[in-house]
Amino acid sequence: MTGLRLDVGFVDYLILAIYFVTVLGVGFAARRAITSSADFFLSGRSMPAWVTGLAFISANLGALEIVGMAANGAQYGLMTLHYYWIGAVPAMVFLGIVMMPFYYGSKVRSVPEFLRLRFNRPTHLFNAASFAVAQVLIAGVNLYALALILQALLGWQLWTSIVVGAVIVLAYIVLGGLSAAIYNEVLQFFVIIAGLLPITIIGLVKVGGIDGLFEKVRQGPLGEAGLHTWSNTGGTDNPLGASWIGIVFGLGFVLSFGYWTTNFAEVQRALSAKDMSAARRTPIIGAFPKLLIPAVTVIPGLIALVTVQGLGAPEGDLTYNNAIPLLMRDLLPNGVLGVAVTGLVASFMAGMAANVSGFNTVFTYDIWQTYVRKDRDDAYYVRVGRVATVAGIVVGIGTAFIAAGFDNIMNYIQALFSLFNAPLFATFIVGMFWKRMSAWAGFWSLLLGFLAAFALYIAHLTEVVKFNSDLEQSFWGAGLAFVTAVVVALVITPFTPGKRDDELQGLVYGMGGMTAGDTVAADRVWWRNPVLLGVVAVVLAIALYIPVW
Amino acid sequence: MAERKLARLFDVRRVIGGLFVVYGVIVTLIGVLDGPSELEKAQGVRINLWMGLGMLAVGLLMLLWLRLNPPKEPKPEPEAEQPVRED
């Protein structure tokens, strides 16, 4: 067999077609339920926690994540687990326990809106505009990656794939807004897992179970180092080339807290929950599946490493990025193959739908309603949201071709995150815990933090400053942005007026906000306690590390 | 009344349950009919059969959950943004 082309049959196409029909059906059903802009953008704040929790994790489970993490598994071995257990779970728990009361309690409709209340309009506009641009760029990346996969696996034309993917996402979001996006994300979660599970099962049978896999990895190019997560992180002599300081502070703190706690495409899922308790549980419920997702990403990566001859070529069909597609080709018979292709397509659409629904909300509420056309009736803003969705996707198709110009799209994404999320997280965390921080300090923190990271990124691209890898650059970029934003806040605040106490109610730690009335009696049972659930998630993450220390 | 009906139809558990029952039936059938070449590709595992039955079970569980715990009017589950109406 040559190339990546899969041997897809009629059944596989049938399974894919049924999925498309279901997704569009959800869009139509959701359309009939939409009567206000809150329905369109926030699902009427009516979602139960398990739905928003799975949507929360699904919005992140784009195919870039799946394909990328399997690639990292093959390249770096078990150290890839850090992305999950220290890189995601603690940040998700922190979002649920510490930050969600401010987000949900202040009744804001978006992350930029929180910045407007806590700081001022320039801060708000800067963040809303940069978020909107970033979302469209990332939607384009997802679209391009989807098209690449469909082209390689099914032999579709690049153009056909881009248009088909875009039209389906467009249809269900224009019709059903965030409800349709969230429902489809929950559906996608199950399909993705059902599609990936057979790869892990058959792959493990092939290599002789987990013991057989580890034995083969030991004898392979990674060797013993590929089977450990923390040993040899005193220095940088390990597959990831990172010390424990870099892992804990760079990946675990700045990068992942920045991503999970301030990325509106994620936070929006929790804002649509039906009450405060459900909103706080949303990211924490998402943390539990996140603990186990490596079983269908990192493990297949290792299986590909030991079963696919010549994996790790710098270009062609045998790059690390193709670990999952190669295993699909080699191991899956028709039937489960169709489910796996559907899962992969679904996960691209999940990622793109998250970007697009984040974009249309911020564009409509934060840019159009705040600065362009105030005080129109609600139906007007639903229409604006639908137009913004169409425009966002059309521009996304354009940016898909920009993404085509980058040879490593995962690094492009990482670079975008370190530019936007790290200064935002720093501004948030200082603003939430230090009530004296002034409105203008918020603006300058955000702007200078962004510029600092941007300057370092340019220096990296032009090789003025040398880094060992793009990964190392994104860590330093995020770190620099974070420190710059904090220092700027500390320097500017004393020279500018602070906000009055009554303006900060519910926005700053210790200024009220969480009213007891938010907790329904049924939610006081112990297994719905966000703090307890969060602690359990973190303890599990630590426990999972023990066998692969 | 129309809204109540819509909310029932629109419950995410029904969507997941329905899709997985359909997938489960299709994939199980394929699994029953799998010949030696499919089995060889899947390392001797009857993967279609097992995944088919697994998806069928997940789908049925979702539908069962919906039946045992239907969306209620006073504390609406997904959808039904309006509070209780006198109808």
Side-chain angles (χ1 to χ4, degrees):
Chain A
M1 226 182 289
T2 56
L4 280 169
R5 186 68 59 83
L6 298 177
D7 188 14
V8 279
F10 169 74
V11 210
D12 304 313
Y13 272 116
L14 179 69
I15 288 171
L16 187 60
I18 291 174
Y19 184 76
F20 285 156
V21 171
T22 311
V23 161
L24 291 177
V26 170
F28 278 106
R31 181 190 170 89
R32 297 194 46 200
I34 288 177
T35 54
S36 72
S37 70
D39 288 345
F40 189 77
F41 295 115
L42 291 174
S43 299
R45 295 195 195 261
S46 62
M47 294 283 178
W50 74 272
V51 170
T52 52
L54 289 181
F56 186 89
I57 205 67
S58 224
N60 166 258
L61 204 59
L64 281 179
E65 162 85 10
I66 290 172
V67 167
M69 284 303 155
N72 285 345
Q75 194 170 355
Y76 305 118
L78 292 185
M79 288 190 85
T80 308
L81 294 170
H82 290 312
Y83 283 97
Y84 294 87
W85 296 342
I86 195 166
V89 170
M92 294 163 83
V93 169
F94 182 82
L95 172 63
I97 294 179
V98 180
M99 291 178 74
M100 197 49 70
F102 300 110
Y103 278 135
Y104 197 90
S106 61
K107 295 283 173 211
V108 294
R109 297 167 299 185
S110 67
V111 169
E113 192 173 4
F114 183 90
L115 289 175
R116 182 168 60 82
L117 296 179
R118 173 62 185 85
F119 300 110
N120 54 14
R121 285 178 164 244
T123 319
H124 169 252
L125 185 60
F126 175 71
N127 179 243
S130 61
F131 176 82
V133 170
Q135 288 306 295
V136 172
L137 288 177
I138 296 171
V141 174
N142 271 310
L143 200 54
Y144 173 68
L146 168 70
L148 275 187
I149 288 273
L150 288 178
Q151 188 188 32
L153 298 185
L154 307 179
W156 294 12
Q157 289 296 312
L158 206 60
W159 255 109
T160 319
S161 319
I162 287 185
V163 172
V164 169
V167 165
I168 290 178
V169 172
L170 176 72
Y172 75 73
I173 296 183
V174 168
L175 290 169
L178 186 65
S179 289
I182 288 186
Y183 273 42
N184 280 316
E185 277 161 9
V186 177
L187 190 61
Q188 279 153 352
F189 177 81
F190 286 93
V191 177
I192 292 161
I193 299 299
L196 293 176
L197 210 50
I199 300 177
T200 304
I201 295 172
I202 302 177
L204 281 180
V205 169
K206 184 170 182 175
V207 296
I210 210 87
D211 291 337
L213 176 64
F214 281 12
E215 192 48 47
K216 289 193 172 67
V217 172
R218 223 168 257 133
Q219 291 156 5
L222 276 174
E224 184 69 29
L227 299 173
H228 291 279
T229 49
W230 289 106
S231 63
N232 293 322
T233 53
T236 54
D237 181 24
N238 53 59
L240 207 54
S243 70
W244 67 272
I245 302 175
I247 294 168
V248 172
F249 292 100
L251 180 65
F253 185 61
V254 180
L255 272 181
S256 72
F257 274 59
Y259 172 79
W260 290 100
T261 62
T262 63
N263 186 344
F264 180 54
E266 293 290 340
V267 174
Q268 189 179 25
R269 271 76 201 144
L271 291 184
S272 69
K274 61 181 177 177
D275 54 42
M276 172 71 88
S277 165
R280 295 184 75 194
R281 274 179 285 138
T282 293
I284 299 170
I285 286 173
F288 287 92
K290 190 74 183 173
L291 285 169
L292 298 176
I293 286 174
V296 292
T297 55
V298 180
I299 297 291
L302 288 177
I303 292 170
L305 178 71
V306 301
T307 61
V308 179
Q309 287 292 319
L311 186 74
E315 55 191 23
D317 290 335
L318 291 174
T319 58
Y320 286 119
N321 278 329
N322 285 334
I324 294 249
L326 285 164
L327 290 178
M328 283 165 63
R329 181 197 70 184
D330 291 345
L331 301 176
L332 298 186
N334 297 110
V336 285
L337 180 62
V339 181
V341 170
T342 306
L344 220 48
V345 171
S347 70
F348 276 112
M349 299 204 312
M352 185 175 168
N355 301 140
V356 172
S357 55
F359 165 79
N360 69 18
T361 309
V362 165
F363 179 82
T364 306
Y365 278 153
D366 292 298
I367 297 179
W368 199 262
Q369 187 177 18
T370 311
Y371 297 99
V372 185
R373 290 271 181 277
K374 291 170 204 156
D375 306 323
R376 293 295 185 90
D377 59 25
D378 204 51
Y380 173 80
Y381 294 111
V382 176
R383 281 201 303 279
V384 172
R386 292 206 162 107
V387 173
T389 306
V390 177
I393 288 182
V394 170
V395 179
I397 292 178
T399 56
F401 290 94
I402 299 181
F406 284 78
D407 50 349
N408 186 333
I409 46 184
M410 197 66 197
N411 289 344
Y412 172 54
I413 293 263
Q414 286 294 335
L416 286 177
F417 283 154
S418 70
L419 289 181
F420 290 111
N421 288 338
L424 185 55
F425 173 60
T427 310
F428 256 97
I429 208 74
V430 178
M432 272 182 180
F433 288 95
W434 188 34
K435 70 171 188 171
R436 173 69 184 87
M437 182 175 176
S438 70
W440 280 103
F443 177 77
W444 289 110
S445 283
L446 211 51
L447 183 64
L448 293 176
F450 166 76
L451 288 177
F454 189 67
L456 192 67
Y457 183 60
I458 295 295
H460 169 60
L461 288 185
T462 54
E463 300 194 352
V464 173
V465 183
K466 291 237 186 240
F467 291 100
N468 290 328
S469 64
D470 292 334
L471 189 82
E472 197 192 8
Q473 190 279 327
S474 64
F475 158 47
W476 282 103
L480 180 67
F482 183 87
V483 172
T484 307
V486 171
V487 169
V488 168
L490 295 178
V491 170
I492 298 215
T493 293
F495 302 103
T496 43
K499 299 200 90 165
R500 292 193 316 274
D501 280 5
D502 60 306
E503 293 176 318
L504 296 176
Q505 287 301 325
L507 301 174
V508 178
Y509 187 75
M511 301 293 290
M514 266 195 78
T515 48
D518 270 319
T519 326
V520 211
D523 286 336
R524 290 202 202 99
V525 290
W526 63 268
W527 48 272
R528 283 187 176 171
N529 181 329
V531 177
L532 183 73
L533 285 174
V535 170
V536 170
V538 172
V539 169
L540 279 177
I542 296 170
L544 282 169
Y545 266 128
I546 293 172
V548 290
W549 196 255
Chain B
M1 189 59 209
E3 261 136 41
R4 198 187 294 170
K5 200 170 149 197
L6 192 64
R8 244 194 354 254
L9 196 74
F10 192 48
D11 193 295
V12 73
R13 292 170 292 183
R14 187 182 306 275
V15 181
I16 299 170
L19 186 75
F20 268 62
V21 167
V22 174
Y23 276 7
V25 169
I26 294 175
V27 176
T28 307
L29 277 178
I30 304 284
V32 172
L33 301 173
D34 269 348
S37 70
E38 282 84 9
L39 280 182
E40 194 197 353
K41 191 178 186 189
Q43 311 296 316
V45 186
R46 293 204 75 100
I47 193 72
N48 276 323
L49 189 62
W50 292 118
M51 283 308 296
L53 291 174
M55 285 192 283
L56 195 58
V58 170
L60 291 174
L61 277 176
M62 281 284 164
L63 295 178
L64 184 71
W65 180 14
L66 180 67
R67 171 155 286 231
L68 294 180
N69 188 10
K72 288 187 198 77
E73 286 295 290
K75 217 187 125 198
E77 283 273 307
E79 228 315 291
E81 63 291 334
Q82 277 89 356
V84 207
R85 292 174 156 195
E86 49 291 273
D87 55 343

